[in-house]
Amino acid sequence: MSLTAVLIVVVAAVLIGAFGIRVSRTTSDFYVASRTVSPLWNASAIGGEYLSAASFLGVAGLVLSFGADMLWLPVGWTGGYLVLLVLVSAPLRRSGAYTLPDFAEARLESMTVRRAASVLVVLIGWLYLMPQFQSAGLVLREITGAPRWAGGLLVALVVAVNVLSGGMRSITFVQAFQYWLKLTALAVPLVFLLMAWRAGGAPGLSPQDAATWQVPLAGGKEYALYSTYSLILATFLGTMGLPHVLVRFYTNPDGRAARRTTLVVLSLLGAFYLLPALYGWLGRLYAPDLVRTDAVVLTLPGRMVGGTLGDLLTALVTAGAFAAFLSTSSGLTVSVAGVIAQDLLKGGVRSFRIATLMAVAVPLGLALQARALPVADVVGLAFAVAASSFCPLLVLGIWWRRLSTAGALAGLFVGGGLACAAVLVTIVGGPYEGPANALLAQPAAWTVPIAFVVMVAVSFLTPHRVPPGVARTMVRLHTPEDLNLDRGDWRPRSS
Amino acid sequence: MSRHPAEGAPHEPPRPQRTPRMSRRAQRPPDEPPRRVAVTSPRTAAARRPRYPATREIDEQTHLGEVYMRSLLRTQFRLAMFVCTVLGCVVCGLPLLFLLIPRLREAELLGVPLPWAVLAGLIYPAFVIGAWLYVRQAERNERHFADLVERP
């Protein structure tokens, strides 16, 4: 039954992708379509694209394994939108940028900074895609016993076909529907699980778990305080630098709507993230053998409810998980492929096709090769890279006039470079002994401050490299659209 | 209407059409003090009205326009920093509280362990309320700015 559910989701995604061709194709279609979309739908679409396998499966798995300290992960993934709201959302929409490289070009008036941003977008996108494919393999193995590579390959193929046929990207309603599907797929089974828990006499945790697992900073991981703070920094500041999130902000008609949409996103994510922690808690009670497997969400309905109802609920959860893989992977692939085609290849349809294959193949290869890390941990690394490269670029670019081209470049290079190096060392080698492991597995606490310091210091040293049009750009970024002001004539290159 | 002889001299800039009164004044001998005139309108109105609307000051990047822009940026940045500071205190304070006051880790709120009640529940509505207050204030700041620069 679960396999049927997966097939339905996959076929639906392909069909929608195929019919999406005729709906809309270009940036401006995307833009025009947005005029008819309310903030609620827009926010649902952002939520649908944002809630990946890491949220759907990973959080519950990590909570089950490591306890209360992991509750910070969904808190950070939601709180990141609050930081994004106050520092970035309206100015970013007003900049008119369609991608992060667009913003870099608009603000710093430099093609070199644009290219550096493009490379980072690709790296972050790959890092984010890899665990999606890994989790797909896990889920398919769970329901059919297929080898681990099969699920990843299936999702990669569907995504590639989908993106190549031109669908998925612009259909706000499809992405919006994905959010509600994911919410339902977690919430409905949870109701039955809680009913089963009550019917079973509402048991509590074992005394040992109640003393350590349930308590923050009380065991589980080494250097828990450092890791907690580093995780908080990475998630709160990394959200604004995710490539597939930014594109969705473009669908808001103006900066004011962008703020309101972010507010709704925050509510939707808050509602969703109430659920995985409960799964983790119930999992600790009923399935403590699933430590470090990410499988708790899929397994619990079968174990706790059982029978036909259990099968149905498992099918629902599995469908939700596949929806999570497909929506996040499609959004990421489109963003990554767009950037590869436009900034690293020659541009045009042929380049976009090659770029799509590159965007999917590299993370798929990584997913098959790399050691199996928990999905939420790898996604956490992607956040760390985003927080130490794009966060300083966006925050300083929007609020600080004296940011120079050289400063931005140096900050992206040092911050992004250090974070990427830490990630690479963690994924390929590791785990390491002692404090080095914590420092490398959660690099944000040291890479983010370094990136900010480098960007500011180099900007002070190179005042002559401050872009000449900065005053006009500031008008563009910060003034409400209904004022009749000269905002310059920069436009993003159509993609 | 007669012309003063000096006016035709080449070093004089060409003048637009003059009123009869202007030419009469030009005919006055240089040592006589200027004729007194009654001021019929208070100067205050003239002083308060800027030469251009402020949007044009901003467009032409005059000093005044820069002042307007800096004031907008500063207000919005202060608001953003305020929210971020409160958020930072809450988010960074919680682990510290749990570390320093072990009793808090095991306290319970309505039967739920306190850390779970906060981190897996209460913090989300708090985020939404904070965001809502921010959006309200940021839009208010923008309205003030619009009123300021669009005032006739």
Side-chain angles (χ1 to χ4, degrees), chain B residues 42-79:
Chain B
R43 296 273 303 163
T44 48
R48 261 172 54 187
R49 182 170 301 153
R51 272 179 308 155
Y52 314 136
T55 47
R56 199 162 146 198
E57 303 275 356
I58 294 173
D59 283 350
E60 292 176 2
Q61 298 179 10
T62 60
H63 280 295
L64 185 57
E66 283 297 287
V67 170
Y68 281 120
M69 277 312 297
R70 275 178 205 279
S71 83
L72 171 69
L73 245 85
R74 193 172 300 141
T75 333
Q76 296 288 50
F77 187 65
R78 275 192 192 148
L79 176 63

Side-chain angles (χ1 to χ4, degrees), chain A residues 94 214 229 259-260 486, chain B residues 59 91-92 116 119 139 142:
Chain A
R94 285 178 180 145
Q214 192 176 257
Y229 275 123
R259 276 200 206 107
R260 296 185 165 206
D486 180 4
Chain B
D59 283 350
V91 160
C92 296
W116 285 69
L119 292 182
E139 287 184 358
E142 276 174 3

Side-chain angles (χ1 to χ4, degrees), chain A residues 117-127 336 339-340 344:
Chain A
S118 307
V119 171
L120 278 163
V121 164
V122 173
L123 290 179
I124 293 170
W126 280 345
L127 202 55
V336 171
V339 167
I340 295 181
L344 308 178

Side-chain angles (χ1 to χ4, degrees), chain A residues 49 69 75 83 101 124 132 156 205 238 240 275 280 291 298 390-391 433 443 445:
Chain A
E49 208 151 296
D69 287 336
V75 169
V83 180
I124 293 170
Q132 312 295 329
L205 292 168
M240 69 176 74
L275 310 175
V291 166
L298 302 170
F390 286 126
C391 170
E433 292 294 310

